[in-house]
Amino acid sequence: MKIVEINTVCGIGSTGRIAVDLAKVLSESGHVCEIAYGQFHTNFHPSYKIGNILDSFIHKLGSRIFDRQGFFSQRATIKLCKYLQRSKPDIIHLHNLHGHYLNIDILFQYLADSQTPVIWTLHDCWAFTGHCAYFDYANCNKWLSGCFNCPNKQTYPPSWIFDNSHKNYQQKKAIFNRLSNMALTTPSQWLADLVKDSFFSQYRVYNIPNGIDTDVFRPIKTELKSRLNLENKIILLGVALGGFTGRKGLHYFIELSKLLPKNYVIILVGTTPKEIKSLPHNIQGITQTNDVHELIEYYSIADIFVNPTLEDNFPTTNLEALSCGTPVITFDTGGSPEAINEKTGIQVEKGDLHSLHKAVLNMNKSFKEENTAYCRQRAVTKFDKHIALASYLELYNKILKEKR
C-alpha cells in the first residue's frame, strides 16, 4: 500500500510529528509512505516540498490583506498535483491544509478528478469555518449557518484589512463537498461531534486519538533538576511548541505564579524571547525546542503538567506528559480532558483560576509518586502510536475495499 500524507510541516510541531510518526510506522509495517509538506521539516525521507519561500510569502501576504487563506499558491499546488499523479498513491491522507502553502480549490479538483481515496485528519476547525482555526475563545457559532463579520479576523490566520469569512465559508463548503470517496478522522470526540454538525455532515467521521511513541516518551533519569537548581522545588510544567499565544493560557500561568507557595516553580517550554523578559521570578521560560530528548527531560522532572488551554482539539503535549509518568491538570477545553481520568489528572472549568490553583495544591508530589505508573499505563494502552496506526490501517483497508 502506498500513502501520501499532506501537511503544513514535516516532523516539526505536533501535527508534523504526528505525520512523521504515522509514516515511520507504516514504513516499518512494509508500506510506502511519503510526506508532502509546505514549510519546515526534519530529515524524514522520502518527502516532497510544496512551493518555495516566495510562494509562501505571497500566500501569507495575500491572506493577511484579503483574508483568503488557502486560495493562493496556484503554481505550487499544480506542481503538487503533478507529483501526486506521478506518485500514484493508493490513498492520500490530508492533515492541515492551512499555513500559506496550498490552493484548496486546485487540490480538491484534482482529488475529485483522480478518484484517489482520501482520508482527512482534522487537527482543528479551520476546514469548516470561514476564517478561524478555533472559535471557542470568541464564543462564536456562525460556522453553523455561514460565517460573516468574523470576530476572529485578527487571530490565526490573521487578516489585517478585509473580512472575507462569508465568501470563504461558501467556497469551502462547495470545494470540500466535491469528493465522494473521502472519510474524516478527528483526534477527539469533541471535534468529531462538531464536524457532524458542520457542512461535512455527508461524510463518515472516525475518532482516532493521536498516537505518540511511548518507547521514546518515557520517564528518564536526568540531572536537569540539579542543573536548574530546582532540587527542592515542586515543578509545574507548561509546553506550547507553537508558542504561548493568548489561547494557550500564558495569562493563567502568570496569575497562578502569584498564588503559589515559595517551594513551587513554573517552567514554560515554548516561550518567545519577548515573553521570557516579562515573566515573574518564579517562572522560567525556555524557548521552543525540537530536541525530543530535551523535552522528555522536562516532562520527567515535572511534578505536574499544567495545560490551561482556552482553545484546543486533543493536545499531544498531554499524551507526552502522561507517557513520561507526569499527571495532567487541564481546563475542560475541547478534547483536552479526554486524555485523562481520575488517577492521571484533574480537569478544571475553563478560565477558573481559583479552581486551577486548588487543583495544583491538591496534586502535590505524592500524587505523582503514587500515580506515575497509572499515567504511563494510560498512555501506553490508549495513545501509543501503534494503536493509532492499527486504526488507520483498518480504515485504509476499508476504504480501498469499498473502492474495488
Side-chain angles (χ1 to χ4, degrees):
M1 186 188 308
K2 185 173 186 179
I3 312 295
V4 171
E5 297 184 81
I6 299 177
N7 190 42
T8 317
V9 292
C10 176
I12 305 296
S14 59
T15 63
R17 292 210 305 272
I18 289 166
V20 167
D21 279 348
L22 180 58
K24 285 181 177 178
V25 177
L26 282 166
S27 299
E28 291 166 3
S29 302
H31 304 285
V32 177
C33 188
E34 300 173 0
I35 297 178
Y37 65 96
Q39 308 164 22
F40 312 119
H41 67 98
T42 55
N43 292 323
F44 175 79
H45 296 286
S47 57
Y48 173 82
K49 175 73 170 64
I50 303 170
N52 55 37
I53 294 174
L54 181 60
D55 294 323
S56 180
F57 174 78
I58 293 172
H59 196 142
K60 182 181 291 187
L61 183 62
S63 178
R64 292 194 174 184
I65 293 174
F66 299 106
D67 189 24
R68 296 286 284 161
Q69 175 65 215
F71 290 95
F72 297 95
S73 299
Q74 290 93 337
R75 184 179 67 89
T77 307
I78 289 170
K79 287 186 175 182
L80 168 66
C81 293
K82 290 179 180 178
Y83 155 75
L84 293 173
Q85 199 168 23
R86 293 192 306 271
S87 186
K88 294 182 172 58
D90 297 299
I91 292 176
I92 296 173
H93 190 153
L94 308 176
H95 293 276
N96 279 348
L97 301 187
H98 53 78
H100 324 301
Y101 78 111
L102 268 182
N103 184 290
I104 58 174
D105 192 10
I106 293 173
L107 176 62
F108 271 73
Q109 189 57 55
Y110 168 81
L111 295 175
D113 293 341
S114 72
Q115 290 294 299
T116 306
V118 173
I119 292 175
W120 190 357
T121 297
L122 302 183
H123 297 282
D124 54 41
C125 308
W126 179 84
F128 55 90
T129 73
H131 175 87
C132 61
Y134 292 99
F135 38 74
D136 291 32
Y137 199 29
N139 195 28
C140 177
N141 287 315
K142 293 178 181 179
W143 60 276
L144 287 167
S145 56
C147 294
F148 59 93
N149 295 334
C150 180
N152 272 338
K153 193 180 84 166
Q154 299 299 323
T155 65
Y156 176 82
S159 176
W160 297 329
I161 302 175
F162 294 101
D163 175 2
N164 268 313
S165 57
H166 183 68
K167 182 178 181 179
N168 294 339
Y169 180 91
Q170 296 299 329
Q171 287 191 278
K172 284 182 179 181
K173 182 178 180 180
I175 290 168
F176 294 152
N177 278 279
R178 285 176 186 162
L179 306 188
S180 59
N181 55 349
M182 180 169 72
L184 303 175
T185 72
T186 64
S188 67
Q189 187 58 50
W190 165 81
L191 184 55
D193 292 339
L194 293 181
V195 172
K196 291 171 185 176
D197 289 335
S198 75
F199 56 61
F200 282 117
S201 58
Q202 69 158 310
Y203 294 109
R204 293 168 293 176
V205 183
Y206 300 88
N207 174 212
I208 301 179
N210 292 334
I212 62 168
D213 192 335
T214 58
D215 289 333
V216 171
F217 286 93
R218 59 186 305 120
I220 62 171
K221 292 183 178 180
T222 171
E223 300 299 319
L224 180 60
K225 208 169 193 180
S226 61
R227 294 201 304 268
L228 296 174
N229 296 316
L230 299 177
E231 292 96 330
N232 299 316
K233 298 288 188 179
I234 296 176
I235 298 174
L236 312 185
L237 176 67
V239 175
L241 297 182
F244 280 91
T245 59
R247 73 180 185 90
K248 288 296 184 179
L250 178 60
H251 163 75
Y252 291 95
F253 280 114
I254 292 173
E255 292 303 309
L256 182 62
S257 72
K258 299 174 184 177
L259 305 174
L260 293 173
K262 292 182 179 180
N263 62 326
Y264 281 74
V265 66
I266 298 172
I267 298 176
L268 299 182
V269 177
T271 44
T272 65
K274 182 179 178 181
E275 288 169 341
I276 290 174
K277 289 180 182 179
S278 63
L279 294 176
H281 72 280
N282 56 346
I283 299 183
Q284 294 190 17
I286 310 295
T287 53
Q288 180 168 329
T289 176
N290 289 310
D291 184 334
V292 172
H293 180 77
E294 182 182 5
L295 196 54
I296 292 167
E297 284 189 291
Y298 282 108
Y299 283 130
S300 296
I301 67 169
D303 296 289
I304 308 168
F305 182 73
V306 181
N307 192 356
T309 178
L310 299 171
E311 290 182 324
D312 232 317
N313 178 5
F314 191 71
T316 307
T317 51
N318 289 356
L319 314 183
E320 292 170 348
L322 291 175
S323 193
C324 292
T326 303
V328 175
I329 295 176
T330 179
F331 281 159
D332 57 353
T333 305
S336 191
E338 294 177 28
I340 60 175
N341 60 21
E342 66 278 359
K343 287 188 175 181
T344 62
I346 300 173
Q347 61 173 297
V348 175
E349 184 178 351
K350 182 168 67 174
D352 188 340
L353 178 63
H354 172 75
S355 296
L356 180 64
H357 177 227
K358 183 179 178 181
V360 167
L361 296 182
N362 287 341
M363 189 184 281
N364 51 30
K365 275 184 176 291
S366 62
F367 188 97
K368 179 174 181 178
E369 292 168 358
E370 294 168 6
N371 293 286
T372 291
Y374 288 111
C375 292
R376 172 78 181 154
Q377 181 185 33
R378 182 164 177 81
V380 170
T381 58
K382 295 283 187 180
F383 308 121
D384 183 84
K385 65 180 182 179
H386 291 91
I387 299 172
L389 169 68
S391 298
Y392 277 118
L393 279 175
E394 183 179 351
L395 183 55
Y396 292 158
N397 288 320
K398 179 178 181 179
I399 288 177
L400 289 176
K401 184 177 180 181
E402 290 172 352
K403 183 183 179 182
R404 291 193 290 267

